[in-house]
Amino acid sequence: MSHNTTDHHRLRLVVRYTVLSLIALIFIFPLIFMLVSSLKPDHQLLADTASLRAFLPVGEISLANYYGAFERAPILLFMMNSLLVTAVTVVLSLFFCSLAGFSFVYLNWRGKGVVFSIILATLIVPFETIAIPMLLMVSKLPWIGLDGLTWGWLNSYRVQVVPFIADGLTIFLFTQYFKDLPRELIEAARVEGSSWWQVYWRIVMPLSGPIIATAAILKFLVMYNQYLWPIMVTQQEQYRPVLVGLQYFFQLNTAWGEVMAYLTLITLPVLAFYLVLQRAFIASIASTGVKG
């Protein structure tokens, strides 16, 4: 009986990992195609798309497309802009959205149920419907800088950061996760005289590694892939992110090999960030034993 049970369990594992492997291959094929195509000249790239050769590094392989991509567009500038805007937004979003989630779960104040419902309602509002009103608002906002008081946030980093610091999804994720944390820890800390800030910073946040990693990955992807808003608010090259920079490769003659090289380069930070946060996510679960 135990032998049959063991065989059945092994069969289930084989089927499960086979299915997962096939799904992984489906998702990784576009990345393989992108990487391999970035190494081929245009005529070979287009000729190979009709066969499996499109996924194989065969034929005229070189780094010429990468050299051409750097000559066509200021790639490092665009990547630095995207990474700066994304990093600042992610850090500020994690801080303020976690504070909001903390207040919804642990603090008692009038109308928080209504406010939370309104925040959730924003999830169903497409960004395209509020983009024009936001553009009109930020074009008239004041700012105090080294040049004194100026009006309008266009062509700046702040216009790409501030509107996206708080969002309904991140607040919702933190709120739901905080609800599952042991209430006894919070009550014990309050009895011992800890302030709400100390409870938030020293107890709740150290236990929130998994949701911090999840929220950071989701926010990173949203901000790094921004296209519509940056193209509306940045007319100067020095502030433009990577996806807006993709337009440089479709002017006059389109070099598909250089396009693939550019896409490969701007994908690397996303993969690196995900791998780093994936380790933090697993380590946090193993160390705290708290699951969201």
Side-chain angles (χ1 to χ4, degrees):
M1 181 66 178
S2 60
H3 180 70
N4 292 336
T5 303
T6 302
D7 290 342
H8 181 67
H9 178 68
R10 289 178 178 175
L11 180 60
R12 289 179 58 185
L13 287 178
V14 170
V15 173
R16 178 183 302 177
Y17 283 111
T18 301
V19 173
L20 291 176
S21 299
L22 290 175
I23 295 175
L25 285 175
I26 292 174
F27 281 97
I28 204 174
F29 269 153
L31 296 178
I32 296 175
F33 173 79
M34 178 179 68
L35 176 60
V36 172
S37 297
S38 69
L39 302 173
K40 298 178 179 180
D42 281 3
H43 66 274
Q44 184 181 343
L45 186 159
L46 297 174
D48 289 347
T49 53
S51 66
L52 290 177
R53 290 172 58 89
F55 301 96
L56 301 175
V58 294
E60 303 176 36
I61 301 299
S62 71
L63 297 177
N65 289 326
Y66 289 89
Y67 295 121
F70 276 101
E71 292 177 358
R72 183 175 291 223
I75 298 177
L76 293 180
L77 173 64
F78 293 152
M79 291 183 68
M80 289 300 298
N81 288 341
S82 285
L83 291 175
L84 174 63
V85 169
T86 301
V88 173
T89 308
V90 168
V91 171
L92 294 177
S93 178
L94 292 177
F95 177 67
F96 286 107
C97 291
S98 63
L99 278 178
F102 183 87
S103 69
F104 283 126
V105 175
Y106 298 112
L107 303 184
N108 294 320
W109 45 280
R110 183 178 299 179
K112 69 176 183 179
V114 176
V115 174
F116 188 66
S117 298
I118 294 174
I119 291 175
L120 290 183
T122 62
L123 295 176
I124 64 174
V125 180
F127 176 75
E128 290 77 7
T129 61
I130 61 173
I132 299 301
M134 282 179 57
L135 176 63
L136 296 176
M137 289 176 60
V138 298
S139 65
K140 301 180 183 300
L141 287 176
W143 181 260
I144 299 178
L146 298 178
D147 299 328
L149 179 64
T150 57
W151 295 89
W153 285 17
L154 301 181
N155 290 313
S156 66
Y157 292 119
R158 60 183 177 273
V159 75
Q160 302 179 65
V161 172
V162 175
F164 302 96
I165 290 176
D167 68 278
L169 177 60
T170 308
I171 293 175
F172 173 75
L173 291 175
F174 275 108
T175 301
Q176 296 304 113
Y177 187 88
F178 290 163
K179 286 180 179 179
D180 293 333
L181 294 179
R183 284 272 181 175
E184 294 79 8
L185 292 176
I186 311 302
E187 294 171 357
R190 291 292 291 167
V191 169
E192 292 179 1
S194 298
S195 65
W196 282 118
W197 171 256
Q198 291 173 325
V199 171
Y200 163 80
W201 190 251
R202 296 183 179 179
I203 298 176
V204 173
M205 292 307 288
L207 294 174
S208 303
I211 193 60
I212 291 174
T214 302
I217 290 172
L218 294 177
K219 194 69 176 181
F220 185 96
L221 292 176
V222 170
M223 293 305 302
Y224 195 78
N225 292 325
Q226 285 275 15
Y227 176 77
L228 177 61
W229 182 247
I231 204 173
M232 294 172 62
V233 298
T234 59
Q235 285 77 46
Q236 296 179 9
E237 185 179 85
Q238 66 187 87
Y239 297 110
R240 288 185 163 177
V242 290
L243 286 191
V244 176
L246 190 60
Q247 292 182 329
Y248 284 61
F249 296 88
F250 293 97
Q251 299 172 356
L252 301 178
N253 58 323
T254 301
W256 291 106
E258 294 180 6
V259 171
M260 294 300 173
Y262 181 75
L263 293 176
T264 300
L265 291 172
I266 67 176
T267 302
L268 294 178
V270 179
L271 296 177
F273 185 79
Y274 173 75
L275 292 176
V276 171
L277 266 293
Q278 184 185 42
R279 287 188 176 184
F281 177 80
I282 297 173
S284 179
I285 292 179
S287 61
T288 63
V290 178
K291 295 182 180 180

